[in-house]
């Protein structure tokens, strides 16, 4: 279980962690920046597709480990009281953050699916759909960022 927690909860420790706290958030930020090219050119090249697949892998690793941890009874660190009403990070424990973590994770999976639809040209004309690619990837980055944030910091309802 500790190995799964290590894989699932890996975070960057540097000052850059404000922009991308996890490798997953970094991958989605790169995907967002990269999506500007296909949106302007109205064509998707192989490099973008490879990075999109890598982002899928970096999504599914924490999803699978998180589901296994949840089935084992684990909750998000910010929602877990380790004593004195504090989380393992020394901040007030906030049980509502556990559901937020799941919500943002679901939004990440949903937005990756939408990105796939835009890239493949299904349900919407391919060239016009690519205009929305930066919006979808920015939303993905925001959700990926929040997945890491709600795992660490308490919300507006600590201790309830």
């Amino acid at each position: 279980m500790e190995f799964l927690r290590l894989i699932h909860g890996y975070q960057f420790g540097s000052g850059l962690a404000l922009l991308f706290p996890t490798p997953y958030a970094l991958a989605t930020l790169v995907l967002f920046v990269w999506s500007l090219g296909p949106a302007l050119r109205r064509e998707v090249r192989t490099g973008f597709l490879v990075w999109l697949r890598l982002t899928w892998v970096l999504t599914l690793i924490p999803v699978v480990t998180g589901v296994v941890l949840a089935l084992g009874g684990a909750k998000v660190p910010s929602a877990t009281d380790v004593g004195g009403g504090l989380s393992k990070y020394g901040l007030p424990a906030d049980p509502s953050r556990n559901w937020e973590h799941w919500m943002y994770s679901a939004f990440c999976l949903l937005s990756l699916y939408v990105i796939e639809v835009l890239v493949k040209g299904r349900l919407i004309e391919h060239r016009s759909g690519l205009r929305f690619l930066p919006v979808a990837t920015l939303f993905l980055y925001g959700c990926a960022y929040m997945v890491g944030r709600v795992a660490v910091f308490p919300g507006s309802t600590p201790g309830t």
Side-chain angles (χ1 to χ4, degrees), residues 119-134:
V119 166
K120 299 285 188 201
R122 296 186 182 138
L123 301 177
I124 189 168
E125 197 273 318
H126 182 66
R127 292 178 56 83
S128 63
L130 289 178
R131 288 183 290 166
F132 300 107
L133 197 57

Side-chain angles (χ1 to χ4, degrees), residues 84-136:
L86 299 176
S87 70
K88 84 174 199 177
Y89 297 107
L91 300 167
D94 186 357
S96 69
R97 292 303 238 185
N98 197 54
W99 290 109
E100 285 183 68
H101 191 72
W102 282 99
M103 177 191 69
Y104 285 118
S105 300
F107 281 155
C108 286
L109 290 170
L110 180 64
S111 57
L112 273 170
Y113 175 74
V114 167
I115 292 167
E116 287 287 343
V117 167
L118 292 174
V119 166
K120 299 285 188 201
R122 296 186 182 138
L123 301 177
I124 189 168
E125 197 273 318
H126 182 66
R127 292 178 56 83
S128 63
L130 289 178
R131 288 183 290 166
F132 300 107
L133 197 57
V135 175

Side-chain angles (χ1 to χ4, degrees), residues 58-70:
L58 289 173
T59 302
L60 293 177
I61 289 172
V63 165
V64 170
T65 57
V67 167
V68 171
L69 288 169

Side-chain angles (χ1 to χ4, degrees), residues 10-108:
Y10 182 78
Q11 296 181 343
F12 294 126
S14 67
L16 291 176
L18 293 174
L19 282 175
F20 41 88
T22 63
Y24 177 52
L26 174 60
T28 60
L29 180 60
V30 170
L31 190 69
F32 163 65
V33 172
W34 205 331
S35 73
L36 297 173
L40 294 173
R41 284 191 315 269
R42 301 283 200 279
E43 71 173 302
V44 178
R45 295 191 178 153
T46 306
F48 182 81
L49 292 175
V50 168
W51 194 261
L52 179 59
R53 298 307 178 265
L54 176 68
T55 305
W56 268 107
V57 169
L58 289 173
T59 302
L60 293 177
I61 289 172
V63 165
V64 170
T65 57
V67 167
V68 171
L69 288 169
L71 291 174
K75 294 192 182 302
V76 163
S78 64
T80 306
D81 185 350
V82 295
L86 299 176
S87 70
K88 84 174 199 177
Y89 297 107
L91 300 167
D94 186 357
S96 69
R97 292 303 238 185
N98 197 54
W99 290 109
E100 285 183 68
H101 191 72
W102 282 99
M103 177 191 69
Y104 285 118
S105 300
F107 281 155
C108 286

